[in-house]
Amino acid sequence: MSAQVPGSTQTPVTTMIGPKTSTPKQSSKMHRRSRTGCFTCRLRRKKCDEGKPACKACKHLGLSCDYKRPMWWSNNEQRRQQKEMIKTIIKRTKLTEKTAQIGPMGADTPPELSYSLPTSDTYSDTLERTRSGSVDSQFSLEYDFSQAPGVENFNTFATPMHPQHHTPQYNGYSPYEVDIKTERQMYVNDIPTRRDSSISTFSTFQPPPPHATLPSFPADSWIHEDVYDTRRDSFIGEEGLDFDFFDFAHPNATQQAVIHVDECDRRLLDHFIDNVLRLIFPILDVNQHGSARSDVILPALDSNKCYLHCCLSISALHLKATERLQGEQIDSDIMRHRYATISELCEALNRDTDHQQILEATLGMIFFQCSVGRPDDCLPDIPWHQHFLAATSLVQKLDLPRTLTSTPTSNASTSVGHPPFNMTLTSWIDILGATMLGRAPNFADTYREKNLSSSTSGLCELMGCDDRVMYLISEIACLEALKLEGMDDIQLCSHIHALANQIDQTEQREPLVSLYSNTGAIRPRQLSRNMTAVFRLAARIYLCSLVPGFDKTQTSITDLVSKLAESLDLYLPSGPEGFDRSLVWPLLIAGGVSTPTSRFRVIFDQRCERLGEHVEFGSFGRMVRLLREVWRQADGERGQNVRWRDVMQQQGWDFLLI
């Protein structure tokens, strides 16, 4: 049976099948295995078409295609981990393809209990799942309720079992699974704008107790253990999420936001909600599904006019960059709302009221720019650090540092307090922004106090990097500021050694693993561990760059850069749905000291290629442009001692690369 997609063309292929004949010449001809295929296909033992820059198999499955010998090839353990990661990616890719085959659901389509995503065809292993077709389920509309449920059609395992095992184990009802589809419709001005859905599986399947009446057969014990281990892994609950972790500025926000805009700005508002909103807090969306939309942005758009103008300006900037629009109209939209935002801010500051709303809009002016726009956009704007001066003043008026230090939190896994969300976002900008300017963070004392008390500020939940590592990056920035002021070399080296020991104490014991579960879902805590490992390596490189007489060609530095590149390649996904745009700072730190032959540059180019057009936008696009200029100068006649901050000053670039 074959099906042809409408609108597609198929080339007829004629295949003649007949009895096999062999000639002496054919029988003596031997197949010679190719040694020039990509290492991913060679690891999978699959035929490679040797396409460049990526073969067809790797491109179709979303795998990294390496023709140069990768680092994991020479280590059996790393090769095994790479193979397991490839299996997970293939499962996820097949699941995505199967979801696409189901077809998009319309706005009027009701959620159906029989709508099921994971089936036995989804998985690449040979073990069949016990889920029967949805049409046969007693929870389906087509089920015949006049028929008593039985166990005659229940196939416990597809694997051959011992004859005595075929005795029915369950009385009355057979184990069943139910797929619950949850749909969420978002309304803006009573108009449906976005529709999200998720699938949850509930199962009554449980392994029998140890005292079950089934006889044990030592020779078949591996079947029993393998089957139940697979079941347990498949149906185990995902990591728990704390939806009340932050103290948001709009605690009483409703699910429906009534946003009043002029008719000429409705297109900008729709574009912001549909295309820009999901780019702003990707890690927060993983840790707290939907919080960025429902608890942060939509309530602010509803109640904060200054914030609304900021978002409309950002929307116009993103629309101009992605659609490559030119002309006075789009530039006028950007500047009109940008000017309205600044005017509203100035009026509110003069009134000395609504400090929370002013801070919210000011942080939006700073941080949202990191997600949109092209590096070569030449429209006039106020530098981010001047906006941040106003934000710092507002934070102090609201007494948020004291609120943060008095928040009774211990660590991310046992949080019992609620850090103020705006203070957490301010801290992220403050710490990494200080490294852009070569000065100490404004609230360095607050971070030092939090570090000494081993408490969290919510940085890990918001941006993915462990709070302790971020506190130490703040300390390194303070040390760099002291160095620029003329600190003695002996005293400087003493502080570097002490900070290196503190970074050692943040190392995690468990090895890095894939952030995807067996079902293809992202595990938030594992994502944070993997991202923290990359930030930690970047912090080490940043610290080493302060050593007097620093040389990026030293073995210790090249090893750190290679290790960071390997962690990126193995444990953090790339592409438009990956997390490269949340790793701008570590990529900048490592890329700034990489050598022309470094493995980092190869992996960096590959990840940029997978991002496609997204590589040109936001902080990531600005970071790529800066690194290209640094490499051009460092690899050319000017020598190797080229620092990225010096290049920014030469070019007049005032970037916030976070």
Side-chain angles (χ1 to χ4, degrees):
M1 181 179 295
S2 62
Q4 183 173 353
V5 180
S8 65
T9 58
Q10 294 184 347
T11 304
V13 179
T14 304
T15 304
M16 299 182 64
I17 303 176
K20 295 184 179 179
T21 60
S22 61
T23 63
K25 184 176 180 180
Q26 289 177 332
S27 59
S28 61
K29 186 176 181 179
M30 298 180 61
H31 172 69
R32 183 180 296 275
R33 176 175 295 181
S34 172
R35 297 291 181 180
T36 58
C38 75
F39 281 87
T40 303
C41 289
R42 290 169 65 177
L43 180 67
R44 297 176 58 221
R45 298 181 180 273
K46 300 292 184 181
K47 184 176 180 180
C48 180
D49 66 353
E50 303 181 19
K52 300 294 179 63
C55 69
K56 186 179 297 184
C58 292
K59 188 181 299 182
H60 173 70
L61 296 172
L63 303 175
S64 173
C65 188
D66 295 309
Y67 285 97
K68 294 183 180 180
R69 185 185 181 92
M71 299 180 66
W72 47 261
W73 185 260
S74 57
N75 186 293
N76 290 334
E77 178 63 22
Q78 292 184 2
R79 189 184 294 191
R80 185 190 64 79
Q81 293 180 2
Q82 179 73 5
K83 197 167 186 178
E84 292 299 322
M85 186 183 70
I86 289 175
K87 288 182 180 179
T88 303
I89 294 175
I90 292 175
K91 288 180 182 179
R92 181 161 42 88
T93 303
K94 290 183 177 180
L95 179 61
T96 304
E97 292 176 351
K98 195 168 186 67
T99 306
Q101 292 175 2
I102 295 176
M105 300 187 67
D108 300 328
T109 304
E112 296 179 356
L113 196 59
S114 61
Y115 181 69
S116 175
L117 277 182
T119 64
S120 60
D121 297 332
T122 305
Y123 300 87
S124 60
D125 53 63
T126 57
L127 176 65
E128 290 186 7
R129 267 49 187 177
T130 59
R131 180 181 302 151
S132 59
S134 298
V135 69
D136 297 330
S137 170
Q138 59 263 43
F139 294 91
S140 176
L141 296 177
E142 290 83 1
Y143 179 73
D144 184 7
F145 287 90
S146 62
Q147 180 181 358
V151 296
E152 60 274 9
N153 294 325
F154 175 62
N155 181 17
T156 310
F157 307 113
T159 341
M161 302 291 288
H162 195 279
Q164 297 184 25
H165 282 194
H166 291 291
T167 305
Q169 305 175 33
Y170 302 93
N171 295 323
Y173 294 92
S174 61
Y176 62 87
E177 296 170 15
V178 181
D179 283 337
I180 303 290
K181 180 174 182 181
T182 304
E183 293 193 339
R184 182 175 182 175
Q185 180 75 60
M186 183 173 63
Y187 292 84
V188 176
N189 296 342
D190 296 329
I191 299 175
T193 59
R194 190 178 183 90
R195 187 185 183 96
D196 298 325
S197 63
S198 60
I199 301 292
S200 301
T201 301
F202 296 87
S203 172
T204 62
F205 181 90
Q206 292 183 352
H211 58 274
T213 57
L214 291 175
S216 60
F217 297 89
D220 296 338
S221 60
W222 65 273
I223 299 177
H224 174 85
E225 293 174 1
D226 180 66
V227 168
Y228 282 113
D229 286 346
T230 304
R231 295 287 178 192
R232 193 177 299 112
D233 291 341
S234 299
F235 302 130
I236 191 170
E238 299 294 341
E239 297 173 355
L241 303 176
D242 184 4
F243 289 95
D244 298 322
F245 184 87
F246 287 107
D247 179 14
F248 292 107
H250 305 273
N252 299 320
T254 60
Q255 292 297 322
Q256 286 193 355
V258 181
I259 305 171
H260 300 283
V261 295
D262 296 334
E263 190 64 32
C264 60
D265 293 329
R266 182 170 297 279
R267 181 183 65 136
L268 296 179
L269 178 61
D270 293 341
H271 182 79
F272 181 84
I273 293 174
D274 293 337
N275 300 287
V276 182
L277 193 147
R278 59 187 173 85
L279 303 176
I280 298 175
F281 296 110
I283 306 300
L284 180 63
D285 277 337
V286 172
N287 287 320
Q288 301 185 13
H289 301 300
S291 284
R293 179 184 299 109
S294 61
D295 297 327
V296 180
I297 297 178
L298 287 183
L301 289 172
D302 185 9
S303 60
N304 191 339
K305 187 176 180 181
C306 183
Y307 190 91
L308 174 61
H309 283 298
C310 167
C311 293
L312 293 178
S313 174
I314 295 297
S315 177
L317 190 61
H318 183 266
L319 191 63
K320 176 184 178 181
T322 55
E323 302 293 334
R324 301 184 182 274
L325 300 180
Q326 299 293 334
E328 295 182 358
Q329 180 60 46
I330 190 66
D331 290 344
S332 174
D333 290 337
I334 296 172
M335 296 306 301
R336 175 167 55 90
H337 289 292
R338 186 176 290 174
Y339 177 78
T341 305
I342 297 174
S343 299
E344 293 281 346
L345 284 174
C346 293
E347 292 179 8
L349 287 172
N350 291 332
R351 293 193 305 267
D352 200 23
T353 58
D354 301 327
H355 296 150
Q356 192 72 259
Q357 290 189 348
I358 304 172
L359 175 61
E360 195 172 46
T362 305
L363 293 176
M365 288 288 291
I366 299 169
F367 189 72
F368 292 178
Q369 293 275 359
C370 298
S371 302
V372 301
R374 294 180 180 272
D376 54 358
D377 187 77
C378 57
L379 293 177
D381 195 8
I382 298 175
W384 70 268
H385 45 82
Q386 293 187 20
H387 283 305
F388 195 68
L389 288 177
T392 301
S393 175
L394 291 166
V395 166
Q396 292 171 342
K397 284 185 177 182
L398 292 167
D399 204 14
L400 292 182
R402 185 192 61 81
T403 305
L404 183 64
T405 53
S406 62
T407 301
T409 53
S410 54
N411 55 57
S413 60
T414 59
S415 59
V416 293
H418 304 284
F421 178 83
N422 285 336
M423 184 62 204
T424 302
L425 181 56
T426 300
S427 301
W428 186 265
I429 298 172
D430 187 25
I431 294 174
L432 297 186
T435 66
M436 301 289 108
L437 305 173
R439 66 189 188 194
N442 293 329
F443 302 103
D445 293 337
T446 301
Y447 313 138
R448 190 173 296 117
E449 184 176 347
K450 296 289 287 183
N451 189 25
L452 292 174
S453 61
S454 299
S455 58
T456 179
S457 300
L459 296 169
C460 184
E461 284 70 21
L462 181 61
M463 297 297 179
C465 179
D466 186 84
D467 293 66
R468 297 174 300 164
V469 175
M470 293 302 299
Y471 299 150
L472 292 177
I473 293 176
S474 172
E475 295 295 333
I476 299 172
C478 292
L479 185 58
E480 183 181 25
L482 293 174
K483 177 186 177 182
L484 295 176
E485 293 175 1
M487 173 181 274
D488 179 73
D489 286 351
I490 297 177
Q491 190 177 5
L492 175 65
C493 292
S494 175
H495 285 291
I496 290 174
H497 181 71
L499 285 174
N501 290 335
Q502 293 187 46
I503 294 178
D504 290 340
Q505 295 175 10
T506 67
E507 288 284 355
Q508 54 193 22
R509 299 178 182 177
E510 301 85 3
L512 297 181
V513 295
S514 172
L515 56 86
Y516 293 102
S517 66
N518 290 341
T519 60
I522 294 178
R523 296 179 293 172
R525 294 175 189 169
Q526 190 60 50
L527 171 62
S528 296
R529 294 188 192 103
N530 295 358
M531 290 190 65
T532 299
V534 174
F535 270 89
R536 185 186 296 110
L537 289 167
R540 290 187 184 277
I541 297 171
Y542 181 30
L543 181 61
C544 290
S545 68
L546 304 184
V547 176
F550 169 75
D551 182 6
K552 67 180 183 182
T553 61
Q554 291 178 343
T555 305
S556 58
I557 304 301
T558 57
D559 288 347
L560 284 174
V561 174
S562 298
K563 192 172 182 180
L564 186 146
E566 180 183 355
S567 300
L568 279 173
D569 194 32
L570 295 179
Y571 304 114
L572 287 169
S574 58
E577 303 302 324
F579 297 95
D580 285 335
R581 286 168 289 181
S582 300
L583 298 167
V584 172
W585 188 82
L587 288 171
L588 171 66
I589 298 298
V593 298
S594 64
T595 59
T597 58
S598 172
R599 172 71 175 161
F600 174 87
R601 296 198 186 182
V602 177
I603 293 177
F604 181 81
D605 289 339
Q606 292 175 350
R607 298 178 82 89
C608 288
E609 183 181 354
R610 293 171 197 152
L611 269 175
E613 65 174 4
H614 299 279
V615 76
E616 303 175 2
F617 307 142
S619 288
F620 194 92
R622 301 179 186 105
M623 178 269 298
V624 170
R625 186 178 186 184
L626 175 57
L627 282 184
R628 301 294 186 199
E629 180 63 24
V630 170
W631 294 344
R632 186 187 67 81
Q633 296 185 16
D635 302 344
E637 299 178 356
R638 294 192 55 182
Q640 298 179 344
N641 296 324
V642 177
R643 297 181 180 272
W644 56 266
R645 194 182 295 126
D646 296 336
V647 174
M648 283 181 62
Q649 294 175 357
Q650 293 168 10
Q651 300 293 331
W653 295 335
D654 210 350
F655 298 154
L656 175 62
L657 304 178
I658 60 175

